[in-house]
Amino acid sequence: DAGVIQSPRHEVTEMGQEVTLRCKPISGHNSLFWYRQTMMRGLELLIYFNNNVPIDDSGMPEDRFSAKMPNASFSTLKIQPSEPRDSAVYFCASSSQGVGGNQPQHFGDGTRLSIL
Amino acid sequence: ILNVEQSPQSLHVQEGDSTNFTCSFPSSNFYALHWYRWETAKSPEALFVMTLNGDEKKKGRISATLNTKEGYSYLYIKGSQPEDSATYLCASITGGGNKLTFGTGTQLKVEL
């Protein structure tokens, strides 16, 4: 059974460019999460979706960040324009909908983003 | 406790030692406590999800307990092996929904 699939694995781009990160959740999972990992702040939740609907985007840093989930099998996280401080590892995770978060989250391998 | 806190921050043990870590979390409006194992250059892997006060879970040599009234969970590793070397993260959900708040982890190094 395929796990959470993220692409690209690595992205290096110049400041000001648009960056799009992609995620395919595990089939049958209806919750999807985007996280950012940095040395300073650890693993922090950016946004999560239930049944393709954004539920909590309070962790999205600013208007330069946007996320969409057009269907149950695909989500994107977009940064436009990108800045060097956006450099981090971005993880996508999915889980089956449980009451009060009683289902584990399954993480993808992450996208290592470097903004020059 | 307002945030999820883990201790110690790092730990070095010898192969065969048993060890344990602590996770403290907000006890009000508690819904669930998750433990994840995160090896270097990989992604976090779920170990346990616990929801009820007094829950105990076990997977091989690793076990965990939960006290929701006082807001703490312990993770135990019996007979540590080098392959247990990883960062162990806990995360809690409060107030419903699926939003996990992660601690900063305990980094375990098991030496031969």
Side-chain angles (χ1 to χ4, degrees):
Chain A
D1 200 14
V4 175
I5 299 172
Q6 290 187 246
S7 64
R9 290 294 307 275
H10 303 273
E11 174 90 11
V12 180
T13 191
E14 292 188 347
M15 174 178 159
Q17 297 297 307
E18 178 179 291
V19 173
T20 300
L21 311 181
R22 297 172 177 79
C23 177
K24 178 179 168 55
I26 291 173
S27 177
H29 282 186
N30 52 8
S31 293
L32 183 139
F33 309 81
W34 282 102
Y35 291 92
R36 179 170 67 177
Q37 182 218 353
T38 61
M39 289 292 292
M40 293 296 293
R41 300 170 69 96
L43 194 61
E44 54 179 344
L45 179 69
L46 300 176
I47 185 171
Y48 82 91
F49 297 83
N50 277 354
N51 297 316
N52 313 337
V53 176
I55 302 299
D56 187 333
D57 65 354
S58 59
M60 295 286 265
E62 49 198 271
D63 292 345
R64 297 183 299 106
F65 285 68
S66 63
K68 293 182 179 179
M69 191 164 186
N71 57 62
S73 58
F74 183 65
S75 176
T76 59
L77 178 68
K78 190 172 291 188
I79 308 173
Q80 166 64 22
S82 57
E83 297 182 3
R85 61 193 167 117
D86 302 330
S87 298
V89 181
Y90 290 81
F91 287 100
C92 175
S94 71
S95 73
S96 53
Q97 176 74 38
V99 176
N102 65 355
Q103 297 298 313
Q105 294 185 14
H106 299 261
F107 285 76
D109 290 334
T111 294
R112 184 172 295 276
L113 177 64
S114 296
I115 308 297
L116 305 176
Chain B
I1 296 286
L2 297 179
N3 297 312
V4 178
E5 298 173 0
Q6 292 187 246
S7 63
Q9 188 173 355
S10 64
L11 193 56
H12 286 237
V13 301
Q14 296 295 312
E15 183 180 12
D17 287 350
S18 293
T19 187
N20 64 84
F21 329 129
T22 303
C23 173
S24 300
F25 55 87
S27 56
S28 61
N29 292 324
F30 170 84
Y31 272 69
L33 192 284
H34 292 220
W35 280 101
Y36 291 83
R37 181 172 178 273
W38 195 356
E39 289 182 72
T40 303
K42 294 189 178 180
S43 55
E45 176 188 351
L47 288 173
F48 306 114
V49 178
M50 296 183 288
T51 58
L52 299 176
N53 186 46
D55 258 354
E56 292 188 24
K57 297 263 176 122
K58 186 175 181 181
K59 184 184 288 188
R61 294 179 292 99
I62 304 177
S63 60
T65 62
L66 179 66
N67 182 319
T68 62
K69 295 186 188 303
E70 296 181 41
Y72 65 84
S73 174
Y74 294 135
L75 187 79
Y76 300 90
I77 302 179
K78 185 178 178 181
S80 302
Q81 300 296 309
E83 58 264 32
D84 296 329
S85 297
T87 295
Y88 291 83
L89 291 171
C90 73
S92 74
I93 294 179
T94 55
N98 279 328
K99 181 177 180 178
L100 281 174
T101 299
F102 280 87
T104 52
T106 291
Q107 190 173 15
L108 174 66
K109 174 78 172 172
V110 182
E111 295 165 342
L112 294 170

